[in-house]
Amino acid sequence: MNKEVLSLIFLFQMYGQSFCRNGTRPNIVMVMSDAFDGRLTFDPGSKVVKLPYVNYLRELGTTFLNAYTNSPICCPSRAAMWSGQFVHLTQSWNNYKCLDANATTWMDLLEENGYVTKSMGKLDYTSGSHSVSNRVEAWTRDVQFLLRQEGRPVTRLVGNMSTVRIMRKDWENTDKAAQWIHQRAASSHQPFALYLGLNLPHPYKTESLGPTAGGSTFLTSPYWLKKVSSELITVPKWLPVDAMHPVDFYSTFTKNCSGVFTVEEIKSIRAFYYAMCAEADAMLGQVISALRETGLLNNTVVIFTADHGEMAMEHRQFYKMSMFEGSSHVPLMIMGPGLMSGLQVNQIVSLVDLYPTVLDIAGVAAVGHLSGHSLLPLPSKARVFSKNQHPDWVLSEYHGCNVNASTYMLRSGRWKYIAYADGLTVPPQLFDVTLDKEELHNVVLKFPDVQAHLDKLLRGIVNYPEVSKHVHLYNRKAFGAWRHSVGTNYSQVIANLRWHVDWQKDAFAYERAIDKWLDGSL
């Protein structure tokens, strides 16, 4: 650990003695990364790459070892975090349809209750964003036609050992956040809430595939790559293609990962991804340093999390959009006055818990029904009893592209149960994540009583067959409206999306498959 981090630890131990020092409400700073694997915040994952500021939060704050996204894709996940409600309640079905711009977030409530608030960087939780490709892929996922929707994952090395700032937009936003902290320290005694959204370590667009390409390039410099311990990079085990669950196979194909990858390619992709995580960690560090330099660290609660993880070639996939741990397991670390240091919490939690937690920290009453529960009683030194204890399960759901059935994950105890569509047409999965950390053994047939219990519990939380039906109807209607909007240009527009097919050969067949899907369902 470097000297700066050691000095930060010393200062925090000196001054971070009370939750609301001198009777004042604490400042709140949240840094939300994109596609950061939560397993890197604790052992053994934390050993593969040097993340000094994540390590700093782990030593002086609380690490939640079992934190999950409520939807493993950007916008629906962030919509759940900002609203405190599950995806099926907000109807945030994909990266295009999320929250209304006027939806009340926890930041709005803090502002109404005397906090100075500021949001910077990637927000990505309201409806209407993202590319035409992304939304069409989501709307037409039920079409019986396989498309390689993503570019093959690749790596790209830039710069040299002095090249530090690669994701320039993120660094610009981080600089602005640090400057804002300095301005707040000099101008006001009001408590503040600052949110910084990062794009890293999300893969970069693959420019060689044209302007509509998705993000399939893992890009870094020698400076960050040196932070990775190459000897500790594991090569994940893959099931044979013919043994894969049908939805997992669909995802593998659409993510362009069904071909041959050498061991060197796989290790390189994973190394570059870890290096990108190291760059994101440095941005977190700049925010923490600004709090220290201004004397605000001792009365500020710092939260680090992410919208989802990154598969990084686990299960023959990259990107997110999966309920496997690499995609669904997120970091969640909280540090602040009155909170315990070095605590690791096993309680299963999710991003919807951040809404009530932040309000609890600020002493602000929540408004309306929330899906989450405050986590503050868990790391608090006061150990205040909460009448609203957190349940022993979390829910995650997915309705977007690269997956051809609505997906529902219930994590409870040692079990991860995954149900699809109407619960009948697509077989479920059951993993014992304690014994089978790589999630290679679907034991749903071996433990029918466990499956029955968890399916009953899941149906008590969400009537998932009805939700799946609702999403299916939405997809048809939304795609039909879009197709009508482009008129006679439809064939040309759809041919120019980012799918990696031979359009001379397959465009006509795909259009006919869409027509059949629409005509057979409407």
Side-chain angles (χ1 to χ4, degrees), residues 29-296:
V29 173
M30 181 185 294
V31 177
M32 177 171 247
S33 183
D34 191 313
F36 200 109
D37 186 344
R39 298 169 299 176
L40 296 178
T41 62
F42 52 86
D43 294 339
S46 63
K47 291 182 169 60
V48 73
V49 56
K50 294 178 181 177
L51 303 171
Y53 290 97
V54 162
N55 187 53
Y56 168 67
L57 290 182
R58 183 169 65 248
E59 293 195 18
L60 290 182
T62 294
T63 303
F64 290 85
L65 301 178
N66 292 293
Y68 288 87
T69 181
N70 299 108
S71 188
I73 196 169
C74 304
C75 291
S77 170
R78 292 164 188 267
M81 188 277 289
W82 282 107
S83 70
Q85 293 187 315
F86 290 136
V87 168
H88 64 274
L89 299 178
T90 62
Q91 298 189 6
S92 301
W93 303 135
N94 54 54
N95 266 353
Y96 182 69
K97 187 181 186 303
C98 288
L99 296 186
D100 182 84
N102 296 320
T104 300
T105 68
W106 51 262
M107 188 72 90
D108 295 325
L109 294 179
L110 291 184
E111 185 172 5
E112 290 174 8
N113 285 272
Y115 270 73
V116 177
T117 62
K118 187 69 174 179
S119 296
M120 297 181 178
K122 190 170 187 176
L123 297 177
D124 229 10
Y125 65 89
T126 56
S127 294
S129 60
H130 283 262
S131 68
V132 173
S133 294
N134 191 281
R135 53 186 107 141
V136 171
E137 289 160 18
W139 293 333
T140 62
R141 63 185 188 157
D142 293 331
V143 174
Q144 296 299 306
F145 198 95
L146 276 175
L147 288 167
R148 289 188 175 89
Q149 298 169 3
E150 311 295 341
R152 179 184 168 98
V154 294
T155 59
R156 180 183 167 206
L157 191 66
V158 296
N160 50 46
M161 281 302 296
S162 63
T163 306
V164 176
R165 295 194 166 204
I166 301 169
M167 172 45 78
R168 294 194 177 276
K169 188 63 178 178
D170 275 356
W171 279 111
E172 289 172 9
N173 288 323
T174 303
D175 288 342
K176 291 176 182 177
Q179 291 166 8
W180 191 85
I181 289 170
H182 281 272
Q183 292 168 359
R184 293 313 313 161
S187 63
S188 175
H189 296 292
Q190 280 181 276
F192 66 81
L194 171 64
Y195 170 89
L196 173 62
L198 303 177
N199 199 66
L200 276 179
H202 189 292
Y204 292 75
K205 288 183 66 174
T206 303
E207 302 295 344
S208 62
L209 297 177
T212 63
S216 60
T217 295
F218 293 82
L219 184 151
T220 192
S221 72
Y223 177 88
W224 295 113
L225 206 54
K226 192 174 181 181
K227 310 292 183 184
V228 180
S229 299
S230 58
E231 71 279 4
L232 297 180
I233 298 174
T234 59
V235 177
K237 296 178 182 177
W238 291 349
L239 290 174
V241 171
D242 58 3
M244 295 178 73
H245 186 275
V247 173
D248 295 332
F249 172 77
Y250 178 90
S251 295
T252 288
F253 189 93
T254 60
K255 291 177 182 179
N256 214 345
C257 292
S258 58
V260 176
F261 287 84
T262 66
V263 169
E264 290 73 22
E265 281 182 291
I266 295 169
K267 292 189 72 171
S268 178
I269 289 168
R270 291 172 70 78
F272 275 58
Y273 169 68
Y274 296 141
M276 292 160 67
C277 291
E279 187 178 359
D281 177 81
M283 297 171 189
L284 170 66
Q286 184 166 319
V287 172
I288 293 174
S289 295
L291 291 170
R292 180 204 61 181
E293 292 159 4
T294 54
L296 294 171

Side-chain angles (χ1 to χ4, degrees), residues 480-500:
W482 172 79
R483 182 165 124 169
H484 178 74
S485 72
V486 296
T488 57
N489 292 325
Y490 165 68
S491 293
Q492 186 63 41
V493 171
I494 204 167
N496 287 329
L497 298 182
R498 72 186 186 196
W499 301 314
H500 302 280

Side-chain angles (χ1 to χ4, degrees), residues 279-411:
E279 187 178 359
D281 177 81
M283 297 171 189
L284 170 66
Q286 184 166 319
V287 172
I288 293 174
S289 295
L291 291 170
R292 180 204 61 181
E293 292 159 4
T294 54
L296 294 171
L297 187 61
N298 59 299
N299 195 38
T300 300
V301 175
V302 178
I303 301 171
F304 174 65
T305 189
D307 56 354
H308 51 74
E310 163 62 52
M311 296 292 282
M313 300 311 293
E314 294 182 14
H315 299 275
R316 195 187 279 269
Q317 294 183 39
F318 80 110
Y319 243 12
K320 53 273 188 176
M321 306 148 177
S322 168
M323 295 302 174
F324 287 124
E325 289 290 284
S327 167
S328 64
H329 200 139
V330 298
L332 181 54
M333 314 179 85
I334 305 178
M335 177 189 76
L339 303 181
M340 297 183 70
S341 297
L343 181 66
Q344 294 189 329
V345 176
N346 282 305
Q347 171 72 54
I348 303 170
V349 301
S350 66
L351 292 180
V352 289
D353 295 322
L354 288 176
Y355 188 113
T357 300
V358 169
L359 295 184
D360 204 1
I361 290 169
V364 175
V367 177
H369 171 74
L370 296 178
S371 302
H373 298 74
S374 174
L375 304 177
L376 194 57
L378 297 171
S380 175
K381 291 179 181 178
R383 288 291 184 179
V384 179
F385 175 76
S386 172
K387 294 181 181 179
N388 193 15
Q389 295 292 316
H390 199 292
D392 62 355
W393 53 263
V394 297
L395 170 70
S396 187
E397 54 190 294
Y398 184 69
H399 308 283
C401 57
N402 292 105
V403 176
N404 59 341
S406 285
T407 306
Y408 306 84
M409 185 271 280
L410 189 70
R411 172 72 205 278

